[in-house]
Amino acid sequence: MADVTDAFRDSGFGLFARNVAKGSIVRAIPATGAASRPRSFFDKLNDWARDEGAGGLGYIIFSDGEAKGPIGKNLEPDRIEAIKMALNEISVKGPVGDGDAVFFVCGKQADAERFSGLARTRICDELGLIEENCFKFCWIVDYPMYEMDEEHGKIEFSHNPFSMPQGGLEALQNKDPLEILAYQYDIVCNGIELSSGAIRNHKVDIMYKAFDIAGYGKDVVEDKFGGLLQAFRYGAPPHGGSAPGIDRIVMMLADEPNIREIIAFPMNQQAEDLLMGAPAQVEESRLKDLSIKLDLPVEAKLVVDDGSDS
């Protein structure tokens, strides 16, 4: 996948050019060997994209030395070459050329990044490009500490507010919040998150400042996390860790696409464990022991007047 936003900026393909001018980005996804597929293949992917809430999937088909399709016909040749060069720099299947196609996702950064990942997997599934019978691992590191909530225009934590920011207090005081990274990490296998972890913050002054950037004053932090802060004041050592998801590992080893297939007691969509019969009614005496009082809704009864005297 490659960022080809600049190739569409002020270009002849008006739809993307207008969106880029408004702040959108464009991601290009190579589809090796897709040029020989029938039109229905591309229509099917477009329909899938719309079902996922996107506007569709734009594409260029490279065939007989030409760039075909709506984008290929309207985009200037030098810009098409720039797209091919960008893809060739990161390609693991060889250079993009005749016989191949390229799909495009255009949108606001957060939406485009999320959907282009889904689209890449879907395209590779359809073309049989995903390597089978293997386990490929990678670490995801250097998470951003903060992100911008575009709807409300405010800074908020992007992942774990209790993580240690890289650079400590100095970074919080002097850097743009959106450039601050956190000591957070995931280990991923075949695109599935197996474990998450972080080096945790253990300093009161850093915690105050980290939450202040996200709009939470000292009073709020003391009210919500006073016990944790008190532990820090006694002298908590640097600490961190990682939590492996054993059920996810078993799911991959068993080659099951749905985690519910390997969980011993999966719950249904109403959060009920049908095998164990949970949740169930709790005796009044047990509730009294724990000082718990239930406030259940009153059952409504429907009375129908059929007009008769009975």
Side-chain angles (χ1 to χ4, degrees), residues 84-116:
K84 292 171 71 173
M85 289 179 61
L87 288 170
N88 290 342
E89 289 179 1
I90 51 90
S91 175
V92 296
K93 296 288 186 180
V96 174
D98 263 16
D100 301 326
V102 178
F103 288 89
F104 299 92
V105 173
C106 180
K108 296 296 183 182
Q109 182 168 347
D111 295 333
E113 288 176 346
R114 179 197 65 82
F115 181 65
S116 57

Short mmCIF file of all heavy atoms in Angstrom, two decimals, residues 84-116:
data_model
loop_
_atom_site.label_atom_id
_atom_site.label_comp_id
_atom_site.label_asym_id
_atom_site.label_seq_id
_atom_site.Cartn_x
_atom_site.Cartn_y
_atom_site.Cartn_z
N LYS A 84 2.79 4.44 -10.03
CA LYS A 84 3.50 3.18 -10.24
C LYS A 84 4.84 3.18 -9.52
O LYS A 84 5.23 2.17 -8.89
CB LYS A 84 3.69 2.93 -11.74
CG LYS A 84 2.39 2.66 -12.47
CD LYS A 84 2.57 2.65 -13.99
CE LYS A 84 3.33 1.44 -14.46
NZ LYS A 84 3.36 1.37 -15.95
N MET A 85 5.54 4.31 -9.55
CA MET A 85 6.84 4.39 -8.87
C MET A 85 6.67 4.25 -7.36
O MET A 85 7.46 3.57 -6.70
CB MET A 85 7.52 5.72 -9.21
CG MET A 85 8.03 5.82 -10.65
SD MET A 85 8.79 7.42 -11.00
CE MET A 85 10.13 7.43 -9.81
N ALA A 86 5.64 4.89 -6.82
CA ALA A 86 5.39 4.81 -5.37
C ALA A 86 5.10 3.38 -4.95
O ALA A 86 5.55 2.90 -3.90
CB ALA A 86 4.23 5.73 -4.98
N LEU A 87 4.34 2.66 -5.78
CA LEU A 87 4.01 1.27 -5.46
C LEU A 87 5.22 0.35 -5.66
O LEU A 87 5.43 -0.58 -4.88
CB LEU A 87 2.85 0.79 -6.33
CG LEU A 87 1.48 1.37 -5.98
CD1 LEU A 87 0.46 1.03 -7.07
CD2 LEU A 87 1.01 0.85 -4.64
N ASN A 88 6.02 0.61 -6.67
CA ASN A 88 7.18 -0.24 -6.94
C ASN A 88 8.21 -0.16 -5.81
O ASN A 88 8.98 -1.10 -5.58
CB ASN A 88 7.82 0.13 -8.28
CG ASN A 88 6.94 -0.25 -9.46
OD1 ASN A 88 6.03 -1.06 -9.32
ND2 ASN A 88 7.19 0.35 -10.61
N GLU A 89 8.23 0.97 -5.09
CA GLU A 89 9.18 1.12 -3.99
C GLU A 89 8.86 0.19 -2.83
O GLU A 89 9.75 -0.17 -2.06
CB GLU A 89 9.21 2.57 -3.51
CG GLU A 89 9.87 3.54 -4.49
CD GLU A 89 9.85 4.97 -3.98
OE1 GLU A 89 9.33 5.18 -2.85
OE2 GLU A 89 10.34 5.86 -4.68
N ILE A 90 7.59 -0.20 -2.69
CA ILE A 90 7.20 -1.02 -1.55
C ILE A 90 6.65 -2.38 -1.98
O ILE A 90 6.22 -3.18 -1.14
CB ILE A 90 6.14 -0.28 -0.67
CG1 ILE A 90 4.95 0.25 -1.52
CG2 ILE A 90 6.78 0.89 0.05
CD1 ILE A 90 3.83 -0.68 -1.68
N SER A 91 6.66 -2.68 -3.27
CA SER A 91 6.05 -3.89 -3.78
C SER A 91 6.85 -5.13 -3.39
O SER A 91 8.08 -5.14 -3.41
CB SER A 91 5.94 -3.84 -5.31
OG SER A 91 5.45 -5.07 -5.81
N VAL A 92 6.12 -6.20 -3.01
CA VAL A 92 6.76 -7.49 -2.75
C VAL A 92 6.44 -8.48 -3.87
O VAL A 92 6.87 -9.62 -3.83
CB VAL A 92 6.29 -8.07 -1.39
CG1 VAL A 92 6.73 -7.18 -0.25
CG2 VAL A 92 4.78 -8.27 -1.37
N LYS A 93 5.65 -8.04 -4.85
CA LYS A 93 5.25 -8.91 -5.96
C LYS A 93 5.85 -8.48 -7.30
O LYS A 93 5.41 -8.93 -8.34
CB LYS A 93 3.72 -8.92 -6.08
CG LYS A 93 2.99 -9.50 -4.87
CD LYS A 93 3.16 -11.00 -4.79
CE LYS A 93 2.32 -11.59 -3.67
NZ LYS A 93 2.48 -13.06 -3.57
N GLY A 94 6.84 -7.60 -7.26
CA GLY A 94 7.43 -7.12 -8.49
C GLY A 94 6.79 -5.82 -8.94
O GLY A 94 5.79 -5.36 -8.37
N PRO A 95 7.35 -5.17 -9.96
CA PRO A 95 6.84 -3.88 -10.40
C PRO A 95 5.43 -3.97 -10.98
O PRO A 95 5.05 -4.97 -11.58
CB PRO A 95 7.85 -3.45 -11.48
CG PRO A 95 8.47 -4.73 -11.95
CD PRO A 95 8.51 -5.63 -10.75
N VAL A 96 4.67 -2.91 -10.78
CA VAL A 96 3.31 -2.83 -11.32
C VAL A 96 3.39 -2.54 -12.82
O VAL A 96 4.12 -1.64 -13.26
CB VAL A 96 2.51 -1.72 -10.61
CG1 VAL A 96 1.15 -1.54 -11.27
CG2 VAL A 96 2.34 -2.05 -9.14
N GLY A 97 2.65 -3.31 -13.61
CA GLY A 97 2.68 -3.11 -15.05
C GLY A 97 1.53 -3.81 -15.73
O GLY A 97 0.49 -4.09 -15.10
N ASP A 98 1.68 -4.07 -17.00
CA ASP A 98 0.62 -4.73 -17.78
C ASP A 98 0.16 -6.03 -17.08
O ASP A 98 0.99 -6.84 -16.65
CB ASP A 98 1.13 -5.06 -19.17
CG ASP A 98 0.73 -3.99 -20.19
OD1 ASP A 98 0.32 -2.90 -19.74
OD2 ASP A 98 0.81 -4.25 -21.40
N GLY A 99 -1.15 -6.19 -17.01
CA GLY A 99 -1.70 -7.37 -16.36
C GLY A 99 -2.13 -7.12 -14.93
O GLY A 99 -2.83 -7.95 -14.34
N ASP A 100 -1.73 -5.97 -14.39
CA ASP A 100 -2.06 -5.65 -12.99
C ASP A 100 -3.12 -4.56 -12.93
O ASP A 100 -3.46 -3.92 -13.93
CB ASP A 100 -0.82 -5.17 -12.23
CG ASP A 100 0.28 -6.22 -12.22
OD1 ASP A 100 -0.07 -7.42 -12.18
OD2 ASP A 100 1.46 -5.84 -12.23
N ALA A 101 -3.64 -4.34 -11.74
CA ALA A 101 -4.56 -3.24 -11.48
C ALA A 101 -4.14 -2.58 -10.18
O ALA A 101 -3.36 -3.13 -9.39
CB ALA A 101 -6.00 -3.74 -11.39
N VAL A 102 -4.64 -1.39 -9.96
CA VAL A 102 -4.40 -0.67 -8.71
C VAL A 102 -5.73 -0.12 -8.21
O VAL A 102 -6.48 0.49 -8.99
CB VAL A 102 -3.40 0.50 -8.90
CG1 VAL A 102 -3.20 1.26 -7.59
CG2 VAL A 102 -2.06 -0.02 -9.41
N PHE A 103 -6.03 -0.36 -6.95
CA PHE A 103 -7.24 0.17 -6.34
C PHE A 103 -6.89 1.36 -5.45
O PHE A 103 -5.78 1.44 -4.91
CB PHE A 103 -7.93 -0.91 -5.50
CG PHE A 103 -8.60 -1.98 -6.32
CD1 PHE A 103 -7.90 -3.11 -6.71
CD2 PHE A 103 -9.92 -1.85 -6.71
CE1 PHE A 103 -8.52 -4.09 -7.47
CE2 PHE A 103 -10.55 -2.82 -7.47
CZ PHE A 103 -9.84 -3.95 -7.85
N PHE A 104 -7.87 2.26 -5.30
CA PHE A 104 -7.62 3.49 -4.56
C PHE A 104 -8.70 3.71 -3.50
O PHE A 104 -9.89 3.47 -3.74
CB PHE A 104 -7.60 4.70 -5.50
CG PHE A 104 -6.53 4.62 -6.55
CD1 PHE A 104 -6.80 4.06 -7.79
CD2 PHE A 104 -5.26 5.09 -6.30
CE1 PHE A 104 -5.82 3.97 -8.76
CE2 PHE A 104 -4.27 5.02 -7.27
CZ PHE A 104 -4.54 4.45 -8.50
N VAL A 105 -8.26 4.19 -2.34
CA VAL A 105 -9.16 4.60 -1.27
C VAL A 105 -8.89 6.06 -0.99
O VAL A 105 -7.73 6.46 -0.76
CB VAL A 105 -8.93 3.76 0.00
CG1 VAL A 105 -9.76 4.30 1.16
CG2 VAL A 105 -9.28 2.29 -0.25
N CYS A 106 -9.93 6.88 -1.00
CA CYS A 106 -9.80 8.32 -0.76
C CYS A 106 -10.75 8.73 0.36
O CYS A 106 -11.93 8.35 0.35
CB CYS A 106 -10.11 9.10 -2.04
SG CYS A 106 -9.99 10.90 -1.86
N GLY A 107 -10.24 9.48 1.34
CA GLY A 107 -11.10 9.94 2.42
C GLY A 107 -10.28 10.63 3.49
O GLY A 107 -9.06 10.80 3.36
N LYS A 108 -10.94 11.06 4.55
CA LYS A 108 -10.25 11.63 5.69
C LYS A 108 -9.28 10.61 6.25
O LYS A 108 -9.53 9.40 6.19
CB LYS A 108 -11.24 12.06 6.77
CG LYS A 108 -12.18 13.18 6.32
CD LYS A 108 -11.42 14.47 6.01
CE LYS A 108 -12.35 15.60 5.63
NZ LYS A 108 -11.62 16.85 5.28
N GLN A 109 -8.17 11.07 6.81
CA GLN A 109 -7.07 10.18 7.15
C GLN A 109 -7.50 8.98 7.98
O GLN A 109 -7.19 7.83 7.64
CB GLN A 109 -5.96 10.94 7.88
CG GLN A 109 -4.76 10.05 8.20
CD GLN A 109 -3.56 10.84 8.66
OE1 GLN A 109 -3.51 12.06 8.54
NE2 GLN A 109 -2.57 10.16 9.19
N ALA A 110 -8.20 9.20 9.08
CA ALA A 110 -8.58 8.09 9.96
C ALA A 110 -9.46 7.09 9.23
O ALA A 110 -9.26 5.86 9.35
CB ALA A 110 -9.29 8.63 11.20
N ASP A 111 -10.42 7.58 8.46
CA ASP A 111 -11.33 6.68 7.73
C ASP A 111 -10.60 5.94 6.62
O ASP A 111 -10.80 4.73 6.42
CB ASP A 111 -12.50 7.47 7.15
CG ASP A 111 -13.38 8.09 8.22
OD1 ASP A 111 -13.44 7.54 9.33
OD2 ASP A 111 -14.02 9.12 7.94
N ALA A 112 -9.76 6.67 5.87
CA ALA A 112 -9.05 6.05 4.75
C ALA A 112 -8.06 5.00 5.22
O ALA A 112 -7.91 3.95 4.60
CB ALA A 112 -8.34 7.13 3.93
N GLU A 113 -7.36 5.27 6.32
CA GLU A 113 -6.39 4.30 6.83
C GLU A 113 -7.10 3.03 7.30
O GLU A 113 -6.63 1.92 7.05
CB GLU A 113 -5.58 4.92 7.96
CG GLU A 113 -4.58 5.96 7.46
CD GLU A 113 -3.84 6.64 8.59
OE1 GLU A 113 -4.29 6.49 9.76
OE2 GLU A 113 -2.83 7.31 8.33
N ARG A 114 -8.22 3.19 7.98
CA ARG A 114 -8.96 2.02 8.47
C ARG A 114 -9.49 1.20 7.29
O ARG A 114 -9.29 -0.02 7.23
CB ARG A 114 -10.13 2.46 9.35
CG ARG A 114 -10.97 1.29 9.88
CD ARG A 114 -12.32 1.77 10.39
NE ARG A 114 -13.14 2.32 9.31
CZ ARG A 114 -13.86 1.57 8.49
NH1 ARG A 114 -13.86 0.25 8.59
NH2 ARG A 114 -14.59 2.14 7.54
N PHE A 115 -10.14 1.88 6.34
CA PHE A 115 -10.78 1.15 5.26
C PHE A 115 -9.78 0.58 4.27
O PHE A 115 -10.00 -0.51 3.72
CB PHE A 115 -11.78 2.05 4.52
CG PHE A 115 -12.49 1.33 3.41
CD1 PHE A 115 -13.34 0.28 3.68
CD2 PHE A 115 -12.27 1.69 2.09
CE1 PHE A 115 -13.98 -0.41 2.66
CE2 PHE A 115 -12.90 1.01 1.06
CZ PHE A 115 -13.76 -0.04 1.35
N SER A 116 -8.68 1.26 4.04
CA SER A 116 -7.70 0.73 3.08
C SER A 116 -7.09 -0.58 3.59
O SER A 116 -6.75 -1.46 2.80
CB SER A 116 -6.60 1.76 2.79
OG SER A 116 -5.95 2.17 3.97
#
